[in-house]
Amino acid sequence: MKRKIFGCLVAAVLLVSNSAAPDYDIVIRGGRVLDGAGNPWVKADVALKDGRVVRIGTVPGRGKTEIDATGRYVSPGFIDMMDQSGRVLLANGAAENKLRMGVTTVIAGEGGTPVEAAKIPDYFRQLETQGISVNFGTYYSSTQARVTVMGDGAGAPTPAQLDAMGTEVMTAMRNGAFGITSALIYSPSSFQSTSDLVTLAKVAARCDGFYATHMRDESEGLVKAIEEAVEIGEKGGVKVEIFHLKAAYAPGWGKLMPQAIATINAARARGVDIAADLYPYTAGGTGLEIIAPTWVWADGVQKGIERLRDPKLRERMKREVAAGSMPGWSNLVHASGGWANVRLANGFSDKYRQYHGQSLEQIGKALNRHPADAAWDILLEGLPNRSVALYFMMSEQDIETALRQPWVSIGSDAAASQELGAVDALGLPHPRAYGTFPRVIAEYVKRRPILSLEDAVRKMTGWPAQRMGLTDRGLIRDGMRGDIVIFDYDRIDDGATWDKPTALPTGIDTVIVNGVVTIDKGRHTGARAGSVLRHECKA
């Protein structure tokens, strides 16, 4: 009888024990944990609760969700330092192409915010209300401030106009922007002087903000452009981030990048807080409008379009394209080594769809047109969309040289796609939108001994988080946000190519955002656990 009662008690205890609430939301078991700081991996369990990492090591309790990571790597979620998703997330917050690359946080805003400075809080609230699957932060564009105050034409602002621009910048900073950006290769951003940018940088500096820049020249004048960015940082008192560092000038391959790095290192040595990001591809992607000299756009976009339609002005433009770059204009045809290295990516018209993927040299021959005329015809036909091309301007040697620098992080320069498998929201079929982050590991750790795995992960996690002041992200440590990617080192690969730019990567099967499984067995769970990241301004 006693034996029977004892047996019932044991069964009851086991029943209570098995039915007790889980100790954690998620426990990741037995993975090779890379902490994001560059340390070697350790074999450990990782427990998450209430959106944060709460235990690392041997976890005796159980999780509501248990994930077996045996033989796989457990890393902080990747941070995209140059994202273009500010607008598309309003239409679809899933950002699945980003998540499939292991990206859990994006920093957008090269072109600014999709709303004016005063409406940024409403914009952020809309993102939060609708729900986003990645964490999102953004810069505000100095060009936005300029256009708001004085339109999209050339010309120097008056002191009153510059003050008004500063007011716009301060409004954006107080509303959560991480700093100001410029894109000085494009009009009307190119009309901003160094002095104007120093003035606006000083405003951002009051909030410990950044000056992040697509520099005035990434080609023959690369070093001078870096020197300008350094000057703005020093005089403006801001941190400087160089977007998509590249030596985009075929005649200068192997020479310009070492000079650029030496210039940045010299600035860092004297205390300038400057760093850079890059995407690991030999072609950039941008609009066909860059083929027209800057003076074409000096009186605004509409006047520029009228000039493109003028046959006489086109003859002048073609002579200038043939002559190379000029002050205030980077000639990307010249930088690419000629029309044969500029490939039409998307003309946004049925008329020219058959030429997608062909060089402008090939298209010109097929149409019996000068390649420049073909480019501008395609541009005009595609309006109001922005027809885009791939400019093959970089060398693998220079990419490797840049990647080796400890202060270089990774930024895709791509947007989320509104639908998985479609081109990104920019309409640009470039493999960087689907392949950037897995490519860093697959190409530069596995296929070439350029980076160690630990350092590659650091460049995509701990370093960018520290750079952006995201003190609770980028590392797997107690108390940190639960942004985690689990990947199979043997399988990880970037499937996207120039011919198949939207092919999905492999080897990344689990992605967790703020403690919520968002990619599970390679599929989006529908979770919208992402947060809007607001830069704090105490001014």
Side-chain angles (χ1 to χ4, degrees):
M1 183 68 176
K2 289 181 180 179
R3 190 176 299 169
K4 192 171 185 180
I5 292 172
F6 178 75
C8 291
L9 288 171
V10 170
V13 169
L14 289 172
L15 180 64
V16 170
S17 175
N18 289 336
S19 62
D23 302 280
Y24 307 102
D25 296 326
I26 300 172
V27 178
I28 304 166
R29 301 282 183 186
R32 299 175 180 181
V33 178
L34 292 160
D35 67 356
N39 293 310
W41 65 266
V42 296
K43 188 172 183 179
D45 304 331
V46 179
L48 293 85
K49 189 170 184 177
D50 298 328
R52 293 183 182 271
V53 175
V54 294
R55 185 161 183 167
I56 305 166
T58 300
V59 176
R62 65 189 181 91
K64 183 177 179 181
T65 298
E66 294 269 337
I67 300 173
D68 182 4
T70 302
R72 293 184 291 167
Y73 286 89
V74 180
S75 160
F78 302 151
I79 298 173
D80 190 339
M81 284 288 277
M82 201 215 169
D83 170 74
Q84 301 280 6
S85 302
R87 189 175 299 278
V88 70
L89 291 179
L90 291 171
N92 183 354
E96 190 165 356
N97 61 311
K98 297 281 182 172
L99 288 161
R100 292 294 192 99
M101 290 192 286
V103 171
T104 58
T105 297
V106 302
I107 307 297
E110 179 198 23
T113 55
V115 297
E116 61 190 72
K119 294 183 178 179
I120 289 175
D122 295 333
Y123 166 60
F124 285 166
R125 279 193 294 270
Q126 186 176 351
L127 289 174
E128 291 171 326
T129 300
Q130 293 178 189
I132 52 177
S133 293
V134 291
N135 304 305
F136 174 82
T138 187
Y139 299 102
Y140 174 77
S141 171
S142 61
T143 311
Q144 280 182 274
R146 177 187 170 94
V147 171
T148 297
V149 173
M150 59 182 294
D152 64 354
T158 65
Q161 287 175 323
L162 198 53
D163 284 345
M165 293 177 201
T167 298
E168 293 295 314
V169 169
M170 179 52 71
T171 298
M173 295 300 300
R174 286 175 172 158
N175 285 336
F178 278 82
I180 59 169
T181 57
S182 65
L184 300 176
I185 197 171
Y186 305 111
S187 304
S189 188
S190 59
F191 303 138
Q192 298 170 104
S193 69
T194 305
S195 176
D196 293 346
L197 291 167
V198 168
T199 298
L200 298 181
K202 287 179 178 178
V203 178
R206 292 167 57 190
C207 299
D208 192 29
F210 282 83
Y211 170 67
T213 180
H214 179 150
M215 294 181 296
R216 204 175 293 275
D217 195 338
E218 299 174 322
S219 302
E220 190 174 7
L222 173 63
V223 174
K224 287 184 178 179
I226 292 174
E227 290 171 347
E228 180 188 33
V230 169
E231 180 182 352
I232 292 165
E234 284 190 296
K235 292 181 177 179
V238 288
K239 295 167 282 192
V240 178
E241 179 73 9
I242 294 175
F243 284 146
H244 45 56
L245 177 64
K246 62 174 76 76
Y249 184 62
W253 288 351
K255 302 173 185 177
L256 279 174
M257 183 60 77
Q259 293 172 16
I261 289 167
T263 303
I264 294 171
N265 281 332
R268 288 183 61 84
R270 65 175 184 269
V272 181
D273 192 351
I274 181 172
D277 54 73
L278 63 74
Y279 52 80
Y281 295 94
T282 56
T286 194
L288 291 176
E289 80 283 350
I290 197 66
I291 293 174
T294 301
W295 62 263
V296 173
W297 311 104
D299 296 304
V301 173
Q302 291 306 313
K303 184 63 177 179
I305 291 170
E306 291 177 22
R307 287 172 175 156
L308 284 178
R309 298 186 192 278
D310 187 324
K312 291 184 179 179
L313 288 179
R314 278 198 181 193
E315 291 307 308
R316 173 187 168 185
M317 292 157 59
K318 281 185 277 190
R319 289 194 298 271
E320 292 177 357
V321 172
S325 297
M326 60 178 64
W329 174 53
S330 290
N331 183 340
L332 297 194
V333 176
H334 179 58
S336 300
W339 297 103
N341 299 318
V342 181
R343 187 185 301 181
L344 178 63
N346 192 346
F348 287 99
S349 72
D350 292 336
K351 183 175 180 180
Y352 294 107
R353 190 177 306 279
Q354 63 182 307
Y355 300 110
H356 288 179
Q358 295 185 28
S359 72
L360 286 174
E361 181 177 81
Q362 292 171 315
I363 297 169
K365 288 179 180 177
L367 298 174
N368 197 28
R369 299 278 283 163
H370 188 285
D373 285 316
W376 298 325
D377 290 346
I378 292 167
L379 182 158
L380 294 170
E381 182 71 22
L383 293 172
N385 295 300
R386 185 190 188 209
S387 295
V388 288
L390 300 173
Y391 300 78
F392 287 83
M393 303 178 288
M394 288 82 80
S395 75
E396 281 289 355
Q397 176 189 350
D398 287 340
I399 293 171
E400 291 178 5
T401 299
L403 269 176
R404 288 190 175 100
Q405 307 313 307
W407 37 262
V408 167
S409 58
I410 307 301
S412 70
D413 194 11
S417 57
Q418 194 160 342
E419 295 180 9
L420 186 67
V423 297
D424 76 348
L426 301 178
L428 178 62
H430 192 301
R432 65 194 184 194
Y434 282 78
T436 292
F437 290 82
R439 179 173 174 79
V440 170
I441 295 174
E443 186 67 26
Y444 299 97
V445 177
K446 291 171 60 176
R447 290 192 279 268
R448 312 184 208 181
I450 304 304
L451 301 172
S452 68
L453 177 60
E454 293 84 358
D455 195 39
V457 168
R458 182 192 68 85
K459 287 177 174 292
M460 300 188 287
T461 59
W463 166 235
Q466 182 178 359
R467 178 82 177 133
M468 298 305 299
L470 306 177
T471 56
D472 59 353
R473 298 183 193 275
L475 299 173
I476 296 182
R477 288 182 183 164
D478 287 352
M480 302 297 282
R481 296 281 182 179
D483 297 338
I484 291 177
V485 55
I486 304 172
F487 64 88
D488 185 327
Y489 181 79
D490 293 332
R491 292 177 49 239
I492 194 168
D493 208 348
D494 53 312
T497 64
W498 300 114
D499 294 326
K500 295 180 179 179
T502 61
L504 296 174
T506 57
I508 299 174
D509 298 320
T510 305
V511 180
I512 300 169
V513 180
N514 291 318
V516 178
V517 177
T518 307
I519 297 292
D520 183 27
K521 297 181 178 64
R523 295 183 179 275
H524 199 299
T525 64
R528 297 289 193 274
S531 301
V532 171
L533 307 176
R534 294 169 174 84
H535 178 70
E536 184 180 359
C537 176
K538 296 180 180 179

